[in-house]
Amino acid sequence: MSGRDIRSIVIFVSIACVLAWNIALPLWFGDGIDSPTGMIAIIAVATMASPAVAALIMVFFVDRDRQKARLLGLWPLKPARRLVKYSLVGIFVPIALVLVSLPVGALLGVYPADFVNFSGFEQDLAERAQAAGTGELTIDLGVLVAIQLLMLPVAAFLNLVPALGEELGWRGWLLPKLMPLGTVPAIVISGVIWGLWHAPMVLLGYNYPDAPGWLGLTMMVGMCILVGAVFGWLRLRSDSVWPAALAHAAFNGAAGTILIFSMAGEHIDTTQATPLGWSGWIVPLALVIVLVATGQFRRPATVQTETAQTAAEAKPPALDPAVSTHAARRSS
């Protein structure tokens, strides 16, 4: 890795983190996670755009790369078959990882689950209906649960824009920049940076409301390394940021299922249960180990060739030695 690459990475991370902290300042100077839900949602979505802003600043103003869209993984959208395949994997694998974390947590005794009567979901719906003054729920609860599950793939597209705000930075720009260090170091380092970037919200108690700040941030880093490895695998194998963005969007969209299968009156400790907690890391860790052991993080040969050509084309043309020597003599 060149000194220029290291400088670019430092600038990128600094921009993304400074923007994230500045966007979250209203919560820090206000009521924190006790702020109105709408305000928290707006700030969370705005924060997700900060890595994309940092990446765009890098390619347009700092590094001034030529093939900007290609280096970020936005273009080209071909070969179409490869892109579609990994996009579908990106939608359904994160959903499966979220859903499987719940029975695993229940078996380990850290997730209070109700997979039959959905009592926690029913309680949540009743509380919302009461707050809105809409009366009792008229649709069958089982039908409503089925609808929620069937809508999870659709949520990947509904959440795509804010998810792309993160993925354009983390997997679109940062991960390829770290690849000269090797696949595993690149995945780990990008995951650590991604996890620490969440600090403005996590330290307020967002995601891990029961944990002290240091523990919440440590858990977030662990989760980001594992989940980021899956997103990174999609980015590398497809040579596109779109499958990773769809995976991120699907993962966020499926997060609400922890309430659907929860037990009424029980508290969920996210440091232990759900994909945020250690029990939810077991299956992703196994998946990442299999991917590493089977060499799935290697880019296909065609992708490696295309990437090398793109990198060469992105660099400014080198001066001919004779020309540069002549210019030096003239200047002296």
Side-chain angles (χ1 to χ4, degrees), residues 15-106:
I15 294 172
C17 291
V18 168
L19 282 175
W21 274 101
N22 277 278
I23 293 170
L25 282 180
L27 297 179
W28 279 84
F29 289 108
D31 297 325
I33 59 173
D34 293 324
S35 301
T37 304
M39 179 181 178
I40 294 177
I42 291 172
I43 289 176
V45 172
T47 302
M48 292 176 72
S50 62
V53 173
L56 293 174
I57 289 174
M58 296 307 300
V59 297
F60 277 97
F61 302 109
V62 179
D63 294 337
R64 297 184 180 181
D65 299 296
R66 291 184 178 179
Q67 297 192 16
K68 299 172 178 61
R70 186 160 193 162
L71 286 174
L72 293 173
L74 290 169
W75 191 263
L77 303 179
K78 60 181 184 179
R81 183 176 180 180
R82 183 179 69 197
L83 181 63
V84 170
K85 179 178 75 171
Y86 283 105
S87 294
L88 290 173
V89 173
I91 292 172
F92 289 101
V93 167
I95 292 174
L97 292 178
V98 173
L99 292 178
V100 78
S101 71
L102 306 181
V104 169

Side-chain angles (χ1 to χ4, degrees), residues 174-192:
L174 180 61
L175 181 60
K177 209 75 170 179
L178 291 168
M179 285 303 291
L181 298 175
T183 301
V184 174
I187 291 291
V188 172
I189 292 172
S190 62
V192 170

Side-chain angles (χ1 to χ4, degrees), residues 106-298:
L107 288 172
L108 294 173
V110 296
Y111 175 66
D114 185 352
F115 295 114
V116 177
N117 297 315
F118 316 111
S119 57
F121 186 43
E122 184 178 24
Q123 182 183 40
D124 181 63
L125 291 174
E127 291 174 352
R128 293 189 184 190
Q130 184 178 5
T134 56
E136 296 182 359
L137 184 67
T138 56
I139 188 171
D140 181 74
L141 189 62
V143 172
L144 190 57
V145 169
I147 293 173
Q148 294 286 321
L149 295 178
L150 290 173
M151 286 295 292
L152 291 181
V154 178
F157 295 96
L158 298 178
N159 296 327
L160 180 58
V161 171
L164 183 62
E166 287 198 49
E167 289 307 308
L168 200 62
W170 306 133
R171 259 62 62 176
W173 188 91
L174 180 61
L175 181 60
K177 209 75 170 179
L178 291 168
M179 285 303 291
L181 298 175
T183 301
V184 174
I187 291 291
V188 172
I189 292 172
S190 62
V192 170
I193 292 172
W194 182 29
L196 294 176
W197 168 85
H198 286 86
M201 301 294 286
V202 172
L203 293 177
L204 285 173
Y206 197 72
N207 299 117
Y208 298 96
D210 302 313
W214 67 268
L215 178 58
L217 197 56
T218 301
M219 298 298 293
M220 179 58 74
V221 168
M223 191 273 291
C224 286
I225 291 174
L226 288 175
V227 175
V230 177
F231 296 170
W233 165 65
L234 293 167
R235 168 70 168 103
L236 296 175
R237 294 296 292 182
S238 67
D239 196 36
S240 173
V241 75
W242 293 107
L246 284 168
H248 195 146
F251 186 83
N252 288 353
T257 56
I258 65 175
L259 295 176
I260 294 178
F261 299 108
S262 63
M263 183 174 292
E266 295 291 335
H267 180 71
I268 301 173
D269 183 355
T270 50
T271 63
Q272 300 190 60
T274 80
L276 294 169
W278 63 265
S279 66
W281 301 352
I282 296 174
V283 175
L285 177 60
L287 173 61
V288 171
I289 291 173
V290 170
L291 291 175
V292 171
T294 55
Q296 292 299 307
F297 280 96
R298 297 193 191 98

